[in-house]
Amino acid sequence: MFAFFILFHVSFFNLIVIFILYLFAVTPNEMVVTWVTLKNVSDPFVFYGLNDLQLNARAITNKFTDGGPEKRSIYVHRAIMSNLSSGKKYSKYTY
């Protein structure tokens, strides 16, 4: 099993958007990619491939709202990248 975690943020017009990217190998040929956004994405995908981004996987999204007085929400997106080859380096892009 392989797991990988990245935390980064991007600023747009004084808004800070925090992304959390988590990769987890389910089998030697499948990997789950999970990322978090503060705004909903209408049609979340992950694009991936060996030399270019010719493969894609649609993500499912779950909205989580905290129980505090501000009722802040985050959106957790999860997609399964399949048909992977062991020992290869893939490029990926989440949207």
Side-chain angles (χ1 to χ4, degrees), residues 8-19 38-39:
F8 60 97
H9 76 273
V10 181
S11 297
F12 294 106
F13 305 105
N14 296 328
L15 290 172
I16 296 177
V17 180
I18 299 172
F19 299 93
L38 299 177
K39 301 267 184 189

Short mmCIF file of all heavy atoms in Angstrom, two decimals, residues 8-19 38-39:
data_model
loop_
_atom_site.label_atom_id
_atom_site.label_comp_id
_atom_site.label_asym_id
_atom_site.label_seq_id
_atom_site.Cartn_x
_atom_site.Cartn_y
_atom_site.Cartn_z
N PHE A 8 -1.54 22.42 0.30
CA PHE A 8 -1.10 23.69 -0.27
C PHE A 8 -2.27 24.64 -0.36
O PHE A 8 -3.42 24.24 -0.22
CB PHE A 8 -0.44 23.51 -1.64
CG PHE A 8 -1.30 22.89 -2.70
CD1 PHE A 8 -1.98 23.68 -3.61
CD2 PHE A 8 -1.43 21.52 -2.79
CE1 PHE A 8 -2.77 23.11 -4.59
CE2 PHE A 8 -2.22 20.94 -3.77
CZ PHE A 8 -2.90 21.75 -4.67
N HIS A 9 -1.98 25.91 -0.51
CA HIS A 9 -3.05 26.89 -0.65
C HIS A 9 -2.73 27.83 -1.80
O HIS A 9 -1.58 28.02 -2.15
CB HIS A 9 -3.31 27.66 0.65
CG HIS A 9 -2.28 28.71 0.93
ND1 HIS A 9 -1.11 28.44 1.58
CD2 HIS A 9 -2.25 30.02 0.61
CE1 HIS A 9 -0.40 29.54 1.67
NE2 HIS A 9 -1.05 30.52 1.09
N VAL A 10 -3.77 28.39 -2.35
CA VAL A 10 -3.65 29.34 -3.45
C VAL A 10 -4.48 30.56 -3.08
O VAL A 10 -5.58 30.43 -2.56
CB VAL A 10 -4.19 28.73 -4.77
CG1 VAL A 10 -4.04 29.71 -5.92
CG2 VAL A 10 -3.48 27.42 -5.07
N SER A 11 -3.96 31.75 -3.35
CA SER A 11 -4.70 32.98 -3.06
C SER A 11 -5.25 33.58 -4.35
O SER A 11 -4.52 33.73 -5.32
CB SER A 11 -3.77 34.00 -2.39
OG SER A 11 -3.33 33.52 -1.15
N PHE A 12 -6.53 33.91 -4.34
CA PHE A 12 -7.19 34.58 -5.45
C PHE A 12 -7.90 35.81 -4.91
O PHE A 12 -8.84 35.68 -4.14
CB PHE A 12 -8.24 33.68 -6.11
CG PHE A 12 -7.69 32.47 -6.79
CD1 PHE A 12 -7.84 31.21 -6.21
CD2 PHE A 12 -7.04 32.58 -8.00
CE1 PHE A 12 -7.35 30.09 -6.85
CE2 PHE A 12 -6.55 31.46 -8.64
CZ PHE A 12 -6.70 30.22 -8.06
N PHE A 13 -7.49 36.99 -5.30
CA PHE A 13 -8.17 38.22 -4.93
C PHE A 13 -8.46 38.28 -3.42
O PHE A 13 -9.59 38.48 -3.00
CB PHE A 13 -9.46 38.39 -5.73
CG PHE A 13 -9.25 38.34 -7.21
CD1 PHE A 13 -9.62 37.21 -7.93
CD2 PHE A 13 -8.64 39.38 -7.88
CE1 PHE A 13 -9.42 37.15 -9.30
CE2 PHE A 13 -8.43 39.33 -9.24
CZ PHE A 13 -8.82 38.22 -9.95
N ASN A 14 -7.43 38.05 -2.61
CA ASN A 14 -7.51 38.09 -1.15
C ASN A 14 -8.31 36.95 -0.53
O ASN A 14 -8.55 36.95 0.66
CB ASN A 14 -8.04 39.44 -0.65
CG ASN A 14 -7.12 40.58 -0.99
OD1 ASN A 14 -5.90 40.40 -1.05
ND2 ASN A 14 -7.67 41.74 -1.24
N LEU A 15 -8.75 35.99 -1.33
CA LEU A 15 -9.38 34.79 -0.78
C LEU A 15 -8.34 33.68 -0.76
O LEU A 15 -7.64 33.46 -1.74
CB LEU A 15 -10.55 34.33 -1.66
CG LEU A 15 -11.79 35.20 -1.66
CD1 LEU A 15 -12.76 34.71 -2.72
CD2 LEU A 15 -12.45 35.18 -0.30
N ILE A 16 -8.21 33.00 0.35
CA ILE A 16 -7.27 31.88 0.43
C ILE A 16 -8.06 30.60 0.30
O ILE A 16 -8.99 30.35 1.06
CB ILE A 16 -6.48 31.90 1.75
CG1 ILE A 16 -5.61 33.17 1.81
CG2 ILE A 16 -5.62 30.66 1.88
CD1 ILE A 16 -4.86 33.32 3.10
N VAL A 17 -7.71 29.82 -0.71
CA VAL A 17 -8.36 28.54 -0.95
C VAL A 17 -7.37 27.45 -0.53
O VAL A 17 -6.23 27.45 -0.96
CB VAL A 17 -8.72 28.38 -2.44
CG1 VAL A 17 -9.40 27.04 -2.68
CG2 VAL A 17 -9.62 29.52 -2.88
N ILE A 18 -7.79 26.57 0.34
CA ILE A 18 -6.92 25.51 0.83
C ILE A 18 -7.29 24.20 0.13
O ILE A 18 -8.45 23.81 0.11
CB ILE A 18 -7.04 25.34 2.35
CG1 ILE A 18 -6.62 26.64 3.04
CG2 ILE A 18 -6.20 24.16 2.83
CD1 ILE A 18 -6.89 26.65 4.51
N PHE A 19 -6.29 23.57 -0.45
CA PHE A 19 -6.49 22.29 -1.10
C PHE A 19 -5.71 21.24 -0.33
O PHE A 19 -4.58 21.47 0.06
CB PHE A 19 -5.95 22.30 -2.54
CG PHE A 19 -6.62 23.29 -3.43
CD1 PHE A 19 -6.09 24.56 -3.58
CD2 PHE A 19 -7.76 22.97 -4.12
CE1 PHE A 19 -6.69 25.48 -4.41
CE2 PHE A 19 -8.37 23.88 -4.96
CZ PHE A 19 -7.84 25.14 -5.09
N LEU A 38 -12.98 24.73 -0.76
CA LEU A 38 -13.90 25.52 0.06
C LEU A 38 -15.15 25.93 -0.71
O LEU A 38 -16.13 26.36 -0.12
CB LEU A 38 -13.20 26.76 0.60
CG LEU A 38 -11.98 26.48 1.48
CD1 LEU A 38 -11.33 27.78 1.90
CD2 LEU A 38 -12.38 25.66 2.70
N LYS A 39 -15.12 25.79 -2.02
CA LYS A 39 -16.27 26.06 -2.88
C LYS A 39 -16.63 24.77 -3.63
O LYS A 39 -15.76 23.96 -3.92
CB LYS A 39 -15.94 27.14 -3.91
CG LYS A 39 -15.51 28.45 -3.32
CD LYS A 39 -16.69 29.36 -3.16
CE LYS A 39 -16.19 30.70 -2.65
NZ LYS A 39 -17.24 31.56 -2.28
#
